[in-house]
Amino acid sequence: MPPQKRPRPLTKNENVAPGRPAGGRPAKKVKASHDAPRSRAPEARPQTNGKASENVELNGPSLLSKEESAFPRGGASVLTPLEHKQIKIEATRDVLFEQAGTGTKAYDPDDDTADEAAEAVPTRDKKRKPTVKKKPDVFKSEAAEDLVRIEGLGFKRVIPGSIILGQISQINRYDMALTLPNNLTGYIPITAISDQLTAQIESLASAMDRDDGSEASSPQEDVSLKDIFAIGQYLRACVTATGAESSNNGQTKGKRRIELSISPRHANGGLTKSDLVTHSMIQASVASVEDHGLIMDLGLADDSVKGFVPSSELGAEAKLDERLLGAVLLCLVTGRSSNGKTIKLSADMQKAGDVRKSRLLTKAPTVDAILPGSAVEILLATVTPMGVSGKVMGMLDVTADVFHCGVTVEGRQIQEMLKPGQKVKGRVICTFPTAESKKLGVSLLDHILSLISIAAVTEGKESDPLSALPLSTIVEDATVAKILGSTGLLLQLGVKGLLGFVHISAVSDKRIDTLFEATGSFKIGSKHRARITGYNSVDGLYIASMQDHILKQPFLRFEDVAVGEVVQGTVEKLIINEGGNACVLVNLADGITGLVSEMHLADIKLSYPEKRFKEGMHITARVLSANPERRRLRLTLKKTLVNSDLPVITSYENISSGVRSSGTIINIIPSGAFVQFFGPVRAYLPISEMSESLIEDPTTHFRIGQTVNVRVVSVDPDAEKMLVSCKDPIVFGSDQQLALHGLKVGSLVNGTVTEKASNEVRLQLEGSQLSAILHVGHLSDGSDRRNERAMKEIRIGQSFRDLVVWDKKEARGLIVLTNKPTLRSAAASGQLVTTFTNLEKGMVVHGTVKNIIPTGVFIQLGGGLTGLVLKRHLTDEAMGLPVFGLRPFQSVSATVQSVDHDQQRFFLTMRESGPKEAKSAGTGDGLNLGIVNPVDPSVTSHDDLSVGRITKGRIKSVKNTQINVQLADNVQARVDVTEAFDSWDAIEDRKRPLHKFRAKDVISVRILGLRDARNHRFLPITHRAGKNPVFELSAKPSTQTDREYNALTLDKVTVGSSWMAFVNNIKGDYVWASLSPNVRGRIRLLELSDDVSLLKDLEKHFPVGSALRVCATKVNVEENRLDLSALSVQSAPAITFDSLSTGMVIPGRITKIAERYLLVQLSESVAGTAGLTDLADDYDQVNLFAFSKNEVVRVCITALDAAKGRVHLSLRPSKSLNSALPVKDPEIRSISQLKVNAIVRGFVRNVAEIGLFVSLGTNVTACVKVSDLSDAYIEDWKAPFQVDQIVRGKIIAVDPLLNHVQMSLKESVLAKHYVPPITFNDLQVGQMITGKVRKVETFGVFIVADNSTNVSGLCHRSEIADQKVGDVSKLYQEGDVVKAKVLHIHPEKRRISLGLKASYFTDVQAENDTASDGGVQLEDRTIDDVEDGVNGVEREDSDVESAHEDDQEVYEDGKDGLVSGKAPGSEQGLQTSGFDWSAGTLDAGIEHDAGPGSDLDERTTKASKKRRRRAEIRVDRTGELDAHGPQSAADFERLLLGEPESSYLWLQYMAHQIQVGEVEQARAVAERALRTISMTEESEKLNVWVGLLNLENAYGTEDGVAAVLARACQSNEPQDVHERLISIYIASGKLDAADDLFQAGLRGRKFSQSPAFWLNYATFLMTSRQAADRARALLARATHALPPHLHLDLTSKFAQLEFRSPHGDPERGRTLFEGLLTTWPRRVDLWHILLDMELRRAELDRVRALFHRLLGARPEMTTAAAAAAAPEAGRGTPKLKARQARWFFKRWLQFEEDHAADDADGRARVERVKRRAAVYVDERKRDVADADADDRRAVGIRAAAGAGAGAGDGDGNTERDA
């Protein structure tokens, strides 16, 4: 609580109400005298805030006036002269302090000098000013001569050494929080509690240091403060330090912190043995726990004085417990022992809080005995509105501020409750060390007197105050109950007995200096909104705030943030560490910040998070977890989690099976994945539950950080375990559940294989739709290899009979089968145990090995039962074998040894029951049996076989690494290979050193010790407890003497010493070699030999037992580690980066085989890489798979990059073996080696949009542009090229400065004898060609010639076969290879007629349809305007010369649409709500004739033919259905049995489900359709995808549509799917969504290479969105993105759009056409399109002007519009052929006749057109005649003219026809 103003003496100018005493003394007039200035305080000057000091009128006489006067015979003052002097000194000090101030000081509720600074007193003025009387302020008046200053506890008054009474409010791991009076809080570290507790922590810390990282628990784990303290417990604390905590970011004001100590040594400071009187309170710590009570440490200077708390005085709920050691208790002194050494104490707070007369502290030897916590009786001396003061025992001053007088409970004035002279009971709560005289703070509150916690009363029930009104609660109608002047106000919050305090600084966001009871917005009785910000249990007050920014703040503390809640925040900081991992700090509220880890930044991994998140950006997140104790929040920004509508899982208790929720994968293991939900909840996702299909590797389908929607299968809240599944429960229907429930474990079933993985197969059981799993280990009882062979022979569709149901999990729908014969026979005979109740002791059970551990083996029985076979219960043979000779899934039989029904577990044994066999001689536990047939006759017992003895032995067998020797029939021994030779020269065969020894030879040996045959440990000779000991011998000649011999040990090996070693084992990267029977070291493969060729076959060149000369490189005796090297002395030094040099050839070991390089380890610290170009001298021999991991190869160092620490290697034989070897592909190390026109080969490194990047060397890369890839046009140029493909090209440009190399792959550039592609002019009639069928039509087939520039011809239906052909599509398909004969060539039309009749190839046998691919790949095109019976050919890159024979697309009246990205004539897609995506919308709108001579009837006939040719979906309607079609799901299922590939049926089925309201069933039908329809039926699948998109758009969410779109794009052409979805959006009115999808498609290079997509977007903007400006802006973007050869057609389409769209500008369209005609004036098709556009607009003058331009006639117009169009008549007139001119004249004449009236002008126009046509014919005749004359004169030139002469002839014929 805010401290009170420091009292000061009344000055001369302050008035006291007449007749009323001031400060309890009689009022008397002050006379002016010479000594007056010395006897009064200085005058007060105006306050710093501008207010004059105000007088206070005190209520009632002081109690001191009633007491006996110190001067009974006169004297008006009861103060002594010394006290007068002290008052004067204090007043002078105040004046000096106030004069030192330099300005107004801001109000601080914890600043004790705030009021003093506000009342600064200047020095006395020489001229007295009149005193102005003002209304007294009861909150600032003080007695003139009151010595006891009424004050409360504040932060500024709390100094080290202050002793305060408080209550425990929070217990943490490392400290405790203690609530102090006046809204203060202190913190007690764990080391400031008691000496006993500190000693425990120190001992635990010392134990941890001694253990050095062992599993010893930390002190905080062993010492739990919650076990020895309780919330609400009263304790006395001593302040040890005060200060301010600075915030982490430095933005908020630092918080004040008070450090406390409750140790009795500090809390009882100053107490002595004599001060411990009855009913005083003392703090003590538990020193020891005895049987009848607690011995307490009092913390006194005299250690001999102890306290004792009987068990009966601990309280009702307290019990004796060893954990109480070190606990601190506030105790009541009840007496002393007879010797005075033991103080009797009571820790019962109920007893200590009983403040009856007899329980008060009534006497004390000194004032130091009265400490906080003691209950006293107080004689009130002064009662003011701000508190009371009085005396205890007539000698000690005490004060109680307004908050501890009871006013905060009653809500009344203090003067109404208390009177001067009244005796009241109170409890000391604090000390004031800074006071000049001893003074204490007391509390009169009932709950402090009783030492209890105050309770809140709501609805007649008592509860915890924070339960009644939790922190952060907003009280809507809080009523002002009391005004505390400039301090604050009290509120009624609706909780009986408790008020809320609002400091004046928290009343409003605006500054308020003072509050008034009757006026203002905050007067008594006014209601306001308030928010609970805290609660002080000592003061019994809620702390509240009425500031708007506090009310609007979403959270005030970490506890307010709920896990799973969606929150709004601001990006505070983006943190990226050195490893590139990023995280984001999000500020949710003032002082509350959450962390977003990199995994949760987005649903995908962000490559550049700094571009996504900017400081200050507002974002929406969801809380993943919260830890209020550590003030940590974890958030997620994943849209799939933030926007998810699924239930949020935050604890295990509230989860039920079947609940679906979203989680994040945090770890993936081979058997499954772990999913993290919200809070601490995690679940396990088994691999079998990841999908309905088999998944072998989870990492191929899932990734860490991926969000998955899962279904809870099972949950165990106690164990905090949960199992989830990704499977769709719809797939596993009710019928299957019933069938699974009826399936019994142990029953025999039949099944058919449906899926196959590497280690298991999935079967479908007969008689049900259940799916089961058969593991490879359950295929047979044989070995793993046999099971693997059986697995390879299994095929899809194969049937299995009599399989045993081994286990089933109904919750997961999992069935496990076994095909093991032993288990099948056991199941057939009924002996297979499947339930725990069937187990009996002594029963023989059959099962499989589940797991093997060092202490035993787990055996699995049927139904998931698992038993344990302990190690001692295994057979003797198994005990000596690795992993006990068992393997997982091995079939075993065991006997039940014991069954524990309580814990549901059982033990098995694999030992045979019955009497044990007698031990054979010599194999017993002891070695003191007799020797049987010793080889050395001098040996008679085992005692003779001592260490160092030289004896004889007979060789029993010779192994690679040892010689087995018999010393006697019952004594076995061995000679290690290291103990057989004295020197290197003594070894005859170094690969088989022991080859010279023969079995049955007798050799002389020396005994070295014993070796345990079980574990092969070398034992001393005195260790004879082993069951099968073997003597360790030495056969070295040097050991056969009597001199002492010591075997080599590791401590005798030094670095650099040379030894003779023998290969013991080859494992991984090392070869293990033995130096002696006890010393073994390892040799890295690279250090095994100087000859790398020997390392390729280690088993051949370094077999086990072979001898080596080695050198010790590293010795570690502590870790028993020895590193050796077998290299020669010259190459022995370790390889480092600094020791390498270019050209050095060294061995290396392959450690990684990547897609494009090998990683080769050269030494422990150096590794290098070898790229594809460095693997061979002939790139055709490069094969990364030919290398194997850990293979040792010889490499040559080609480059060293010291800056990056990289080493470039080469495995080329010419570099690493012999430089004279032939090199087909030379090594290119730098760009300087390349010369222009050089032909080189390389590997394709990347296939980019601009072309290929080819790797020619380690640091040399060449670029091949698209134009340099091939001589012929390739539509999909990326398809023939793949990464790492070998290509051959010629260098055409080298730029050393830019480090650029350009290369060409064109055959014309590479080949010396290049044959150019066939062109149109190369073909001759009668020529035989080969080609491929490009398109099949009803009237014939189009064939493209092989090795041609896209030259194609038409073979009419009549020329396909000698017999009549009905359906051409039955004979040929697109892509068929054919041989054809050229029948006719039409140069004018650029057409070729071909023939396929067999009669044309009498001498040559026709090639079959399965011939190899040839020719050039063409772009799919159709010829829409080809009539039956007309044969033609067309070159795609030639100019269009026919007037109207090409495909041109214009709009049709009344239709809006988009052009599809598919080629015209491709299969029709679904039409959604009239929006056509089959590219027919624009085509249908183009109404121009087929060519010269055609008319409107011909166009209509052709259109009808095209419609008849359009493919339609035909449904085989079965006769089982009625005339109305399928009416139920069963009807659809019957139809689908006959036509499972029909998308029409599937879509109808989906529509049926939607009509009956089963949307989820409709989704399930769509998923079934996608699984059922085969991959070859792409169009059918696409139709289903479109239907599913329609479904999600209408009934799903945006996320659902996005998910379906992503899946559809993986299975279909992405552009088609996007266009279909755009169509759906437009039809459903979601124009914004369609616009966004268009823009997404044009970002980057996704669909920006499709002209149709650009035109579709423009049409959408122009027609649907009415945004013409945006549509026009697309043309510039499109021409920038598309290649130049597409600009003409695209610009023409945009120009047509301006004419056709209601929001277009025809004038702008004319401008676009004029630009095209200026550039391409000979493109007659453009004139056709423009003419059609003008004819539709029916602007007669413009149409006539256009005809005049086309036909070269001068316009005859008189209107203004014609005058405006006249300038265009002279622009770019095309050069027309006769047939084209005839067609235009015909249209002109038809136009004039249609618009001619009966008047003379109309008839005149018609006649002028006819005359103009006649004149045009005459002019053309003259031109032809002149041309013929020129031809006669230029003999021989006609052949060179070629097609020009033919064109002239054609034109002449056309004129004659006209």
Side-chain angles (χ1 to χ4, degrees), residues 1338-1584:
T1338 56
F1339 51 81
V1341 295
F1342 289 95
I1343 302 171
V1344 61
D1346 291 342
N1347 192 26
S1348 66
T1349 57
N1350 295 333
V1351 177
S1352 61
L1354 174 66
C1355 177
H1356 191 261
R1357 182 174 55 192
S1358 59
E1359 297 293 338
I1360 290 179
D1362 294 319
Q1363 299 81 17
K1364 183 178 180 180
V1365 177
D1367 189 355
V1368 180
S1369 61
K1370 294 183 178 180
L1371 297 178
Y1372 294 101
Q1373 295 180 353
E1374 294 182 10
D1376 289 350
V1377 179
V1378 295
K1379 187 173 183 179
K1381 181 178 182 179
V1382 180
L1383 301 180
H1384 305 284
I1385 299 177
H1386 305 277
E1388 302 88 356
K1389 301 179 181 179
R1390 309 285 297 182
R1391 292 181 177 177
I1392 302 174
S1393 298
L1394 304 175
L1396 296 175
K1397 290 183 178 180
S1399 57
Y1400 294 151
F1401 311 101
T1402 54
D1403 298 334
V1404 182
Q1405 184 180 0
E1407 297 182 7
N1408 54 36
D1409 293 338
T1410 60
S1412 60
D1413 251 350
V1416 182
Q1417 185 177 1
L1418 296 180
E1419 181 182 359
D1420 290 336
R1421 295 180 51 186
T1422 60
I1423 299 180
D1424 294 335
D1425 302 320
V1426 179
E1427 298 179 350
D1428 264 353
V1430 179
N1431 300 331
V1433 71
E1434 176 181 36
R1435 270 191 61 189
E1436 295 185 0
D1437 55 353
S1438 64
D1439 292 336
V1440 178
E1441 299 191 14
S1442 61
H1444 204 60
E1445 299 170 51
D1446 294 330
D1447 300 358
Q1448 298 300 334
E1449 301 166 341
V1450 294
Y1451 287 91
E1452 192 174 292
D1453 291 337
K1455 292 186 179 180
D1456 295 330
L1458 302 176
V1459 179
S1460 171
K1462 276 193 173 183
S1466 62
E1467 187 171 355
Q1468 293 285 337
L1470 291 181
Q1471 294 186 357
T1472 308
S1473 302
F1475 202 82
D1476 183 16
W1477 288 105
S1478 59
T1481 303
L1482 292 179
D1483 294 337
I1486 302 175
E1487 295 182 358
H1488 48 80
D1489 297 340
S1494 64
D1495 52 15
L1496 185 61
D1497 294 336
E1498 293 175 345
R1499 295 197 302 272
T1500 306
T1501 303
K1502 289 180 51 168
S1504 63
K1505 289 180 180 180
K1506 285 192 289 183
R1507 284 195 296 271
R1508 289 196 300 268
R1509 292 197 301 268
R1510 191 169 298 165
E1512 296 179 357
I1513 299 177
R1514 295 185 296 273
V1515 180
D1516 182 17
R1517 302 185 180 276
T1518 63
E1520 300 175 359
L1521 304 179
D1522 55 22
H1524 300 289
Q1527 301 296 318
S1528 65
D1531 295 340
F1532 281 103
E1533 294 292 346
R1534 287 197 300 272
L1535 284 175
L1536 289 172
L1537 289 176
E1539 293 186 74
E1541 307 283 343
S1542 173
S1543 61
Y1544 178 81
L1545 278 180
W1546 287 107
L1547 293 175
Q1548 277 193 327
Y1549 196 2
M1550 292 171 61
H1552 169 75
Q1553 295 290 359
I1554 294 176
Q1555 289 174 359
V1556 297
E1558 295 291 339
V1559 178
E1560 289 297 328
Q1561 290 294 334
R1563 289 192 178 97
V1565 169
E1567 297 294 340
R1568 281 183 56 201
L1570 295 174
R1571 291 193 299 269
T1572 303
I1573 299 176
S1574 63
M1575 299 298 295
T1576 57
E1577 299 294 333
E1578 297 179 359
S1579 60
E1580 300 294 327
K1581 275 206 167 189
L1582 178 60
N1583 293 341
V1584 177

Side-chain angles (χ1 to χ4, degrees), residues 1790-1809:
Q1790 182 67 38
F1791 168 78
E1792 295 293 353
E1793 289 177 350
D1794 292 340
H1795 295 85
D1798 294 334
D1799 57 349
D1801 291 339
R1803 290 191 295 272
R1805 292 191 186 96
V1806 174
E1807 292 299 324
R1808 281 196 293 271
V1809 173

Side-chain angles (χ1 to χ4, degrees), residues 195-486:
D195 296 339
Q196 293 76 16
L197 196 62
T198 303
Q200 291 184 49
I201 297 173
E202 292 176 351
S203 62
L204 290 172
S206 300
M208 289 180 60
D209 294 339
R210 289 194 301 269
D211 293 343
D212 192 22
S214 63
E215 298 180 355
S217 58
S218 64
Q220 286 71 24
E221 294 174 343
D222 288 342
V223 179
S224 176
L225 297 180
K226 294 183 179 180
D227 294 337
I228 57 180
F229 294 98
I231 301 294
Q233 179 179 348
Y234 281 89
L235 291 174
R236 180 192 301 163
C238 178
V239 178
T240 58
T242 60
E245 291 180 336
S246 60
S247 60
N248 294 333
N249 54 18
Q251 297 178 355
T252 60
K253 182 180 179 181
K255 296 181 180 180
R256 293 166 174 174
R257 183 177 178 89
I258 302 175
E259 294 284 348
L260 304 174
S261 171
I262 60 174
S263 173
R265 292 188 296 105
H266 301 121
N268 299 332
L271 287 182
T272 61
K273 176 181 177 182
S274 59
D275 294 332
L276 302 180
V277 297
T278 306
H279 299 155
S280 64
M281 300 293 290
I282 187 170
Q283 194 145 293
S285 60
V286 178
S288 64
V289 180
E290 306 298 335
D291 295 338
H292 303 289
L294 304 175
I295 296 179
M296 310 297 291
D297 180 11
L298 304 180
L300 303 180
D302 187 359
D303 295 338
S304 61
V305 180
K306 300 292 183 180
F308 181 73
V309 180
S311 58
S312 59
E313 296 291 340
L314 287 176
E317 299 180 357
K319 296 180 181 180
L320 291 177
D321 193 339
E322 290 294 337
R323 291 179 298 178
L324 290 176
L325 186 65
V328 176
L329 302 174
L330 185 62
C331 303
L332 176 69
V333 178
T334 59
R336 291 171 177 255
S337 63
S338 58
N339 58 2
K341 293 294 185 178
T342 302
I343 308 300
K344 298 179 181 180
L345 305 176
S346 174
D348 189 354
M349 288 295 102
Q350 184 176 0
K351 182 177 180 179
D354 187 359
V355 290
R356 292 177 295 178
K357 181 68 175 177
S358 59
R359 298 291 175 85
L360 296 175
L361 182 61
T362 57
K363 61 179 180 178
T366 63
V367 293
D368 295 335
I370 307 176
L371 290 178
S374 299
V376 295
E377 187 177 56
I378 306 167
L379 178 62
L380 299 180
T382 305
V383 179
T384 69
M386 295 306 295
V388 299
S389 65
K391 287 185 178 292
V392 174
M393 302 179 193
M395 59 178 179
L396 183 60
D397 293 326
V398 294
T399 64
D401 61 10
V402 64
F403 299 102
H404 284 272
C405 291
V407 65
T408 57
V409 179
E410 301 294 337
R412 298 184 297 169
Q413 295 289 343
I414 299 178
Q415 292 88 340
E416 300 175 6
M417 302 167 52
L418 303 173
K419 303 296 181 183
Q422 181 181 350
K423 290 187 177 181
V424 294
K425 297 175 182 178
R427 193 174 293 275
V428 181
I429 59 175
C430 65
T431 63
F432 297 105
T434 58
E436 295 182 357
S437 60
K438 182 73 173 182
K439 184 173 61 174
L440 301 176
V442 296
S443 176
L444 308 182
L445 299 179
D446 292 338
H447 67 280
I448 295 182
L449 280 172
S450 303
L451 293 178
I452 60 175
S453 296
I454 194 170
V457 180
T458 53
E459 299 179 356
K461 297 181 180 180
E462 292 187 354
S463 61
D464 182 69
L466 289 180
S467 299
L469 275 181
L471 296 182
S472 301
T473 302
I474 296 178
V475 181
E476 298 294 339
D477 296 325
T479 306
V480 178
K482 186 176 179 61
I483 299 296
L484 301 180
S486 60

Side-chain angles (χ1 to χ4, degrees), residues 869-883:
V869 181
L870 295 175
K871 182 177 180 180
R872 63 177 180 271
H873 294 144
L874 294 170
T875 61
D876 293 338
E877 296 179 358
M879 295 281 285
L881 297 175
V883 295

Side-chain angles (χ1 to χ4, degrees), residues 747-753 763-766 774 779 798-805 817-821 824:
S747 59
L748 300 177
V749 295
N750 302 328
T752 304
V753 177
L763 299 92
Q764 184 172 356
L765 304 185
E766 293 183 1
L774 177 61
L779 289 177
Q798 180 177 345
S799 298
F800 283 85
R801 305 191 64 82
D802 296 334
L803 298 174
V804 180
V805 179
L817 305 177
T818 179
N819 192 42
K820 288 180 174 291
R824 289 169 58 185

Side-chain angles (χ1 to χ4, degrees), residues 1024-1320:
R1024 298 176 180 266
K1027 185 176 181 180
N1028 297 307
V1030 176
F1031 285 93
E1032 188 71 43
L1033 310 176
S1034 175
K1036 290 182 178 180
S1038 60
T1039 63
Q1040 306 306 310
T1041 61
D1042 293 335
R1043 64 185 180 87
E1044 184 178 357
Y1045 172 75
N1046 294 322
L1048 178 66
T1049 57
L1050 185 59
D1051 56 351
K1052 298 178 182 178
V1053 180
T1054 59
V1055 176
S1057 58
S1058 299
W1059 303 91
M1060 183 171 58
F1062 299 87
V1063 177
N1064 182 270
N1065 187 19
I1066 301 175
K1067 187 176 182 181
D1069 304 338
Y1070 298 94
V1071 172
W1072 294 86
S1074 298
L1075 305 185
S1076 72
N1078 295 329
V1079 179
R1080 191 174 68 158
R1082 62 180 186 178
I1083 307 173
R1084 294 180 63 246
L1085 294 182
L1086 299 180
E1087 298 179 355
L1088 189 59
S1089 174
D1090 294 328
D1091 189 356
V1092 181
S1093 61
L1094 301 178
L1095 303 180
K1096 293 185 178 181
D1097 192 348
L1098 295 177
E1099 296 181 356
K1100 177 181 178 182
H1101 300 99
F1102 302 95
V1104 175
S1106 57
L1108 298 172
R1109 275 182 163 178
V1110 298
C1111 175
T1113 59
K1114 187 181 297 184
V1115 181
N1116 191 331
V1117 180
E1118 295 179 356
E1119 297 182 2
N1120 194 27
R1121 178 177 173 181
L1122 173 62
D1123 290 344
L1124 305 172
S1125 174
L1127 300 178
S1128 61
V1129 179
Q1130 290 77 8
S1131 59
I1135 297 176
T1136 62
F1137 187 87
D1138 297 334
S1139 64
L1140 298 177
S1141 60
T1142 304
M1144 180 185 294
V1145 178
I1146 56 177
R1149 180 175 57 87
I1150 299 175
T1151 58
K1152 182 179 180 181
I1153 302 175
E1155 295 181 355
R1156 302 177 185 175
Y1157 67 91
L1158 296 178
L1159 182 63
V1160 182
Q1161 191 77 25
L1162 304 180
S1163 66
E1164 292 185 357
S1165 60
V1166 181
T1169 57
L1172 294 175
T1173 58
D1174 298 317
L1175 299 183
D1177 292 316
D1178 184 357
Y1179 289 163
D1180 294 329
Q1181 300 176 1
V1182 173
N1183 183 11
L1184 286 171
F1185 298 101
F1187 297 93
S1188 59
K1189 190 176 180 181
N1190 294 325
E1191 180 182 351
V1192 178
V1193 293
R1194 184 186 294 272
V1195 296
C1196 176
I1197 299 175
T1198 57
L1200 295 172
D1201 189 347
K1204 298 181 180 180
R1206 294 179 179 177
V1207 181
H1208 299 284
L1209 308 175
S1210 176
L1211 276 71
R1212 290 172 174 259
S1214 61
K1215 303 287 291 185
S1216 59
L1217 296 178
N1218 187 356
S1219 59
L1221 294 175
V1223 178
K1224 181 177 181 180
D1225 296 294
E1227 182 183 25
I1228 301 174
R1229 307 303 308 178
S1230 65
I1231 197 174
S1232 59
Q1233 297 178 243
L1234 296 175
K1235 304 297 181 182
V1236 177
N1237 294 327
I1239 297 178
V1240 295
R1241 293 202 303 172
F1243 295 89
V1244 176
R1245 185 174 182 178
N1246 185 22
V1247 181
E1249 297 296 334
I1250 63 173
L1252 302 180
F1253 288 93
V1254 181
S1255 178
L1256 304 179
T1258 303
N1259 298 316
V1260 181
T1261 301
C1263 176
V1264 183
K1265 295 183 178 180
V1266 178
S1267 58
D1268 295 325
L1269 292 177
S1270 174
D1271 291 294
Y1273 172 75
I1274 305 176
E1275 176 189 3
D1276 186 8
W1277 64 268
K1278 292 184 179 180
F1281 300 100
Q1282 297 179 355
V1283 176
D1284 297 337
Q1285 177 182 343
I1286 301 176
V1287 294
R1288 179 172 175 267
K1290 177 179 285 188
I1291 305 298
I1292 59 177
V1294 179
D1295 189 344
L1297 295 179
L1298 297 178
N1299 198 27
H1300 287 178
V1301 179
Q1302 190 171 345
M1303 189 169 148
S1304 176
L1305 305 184
K1306 287 185 177 181
E1307 190 66 25
S1308 59
V1309 178
L1310 291 172
K1312 296 181 180 179
H1313 306 287
Y1314 170 68
V1315 178
I1318 299 174
T1319 63
F1320 181 86

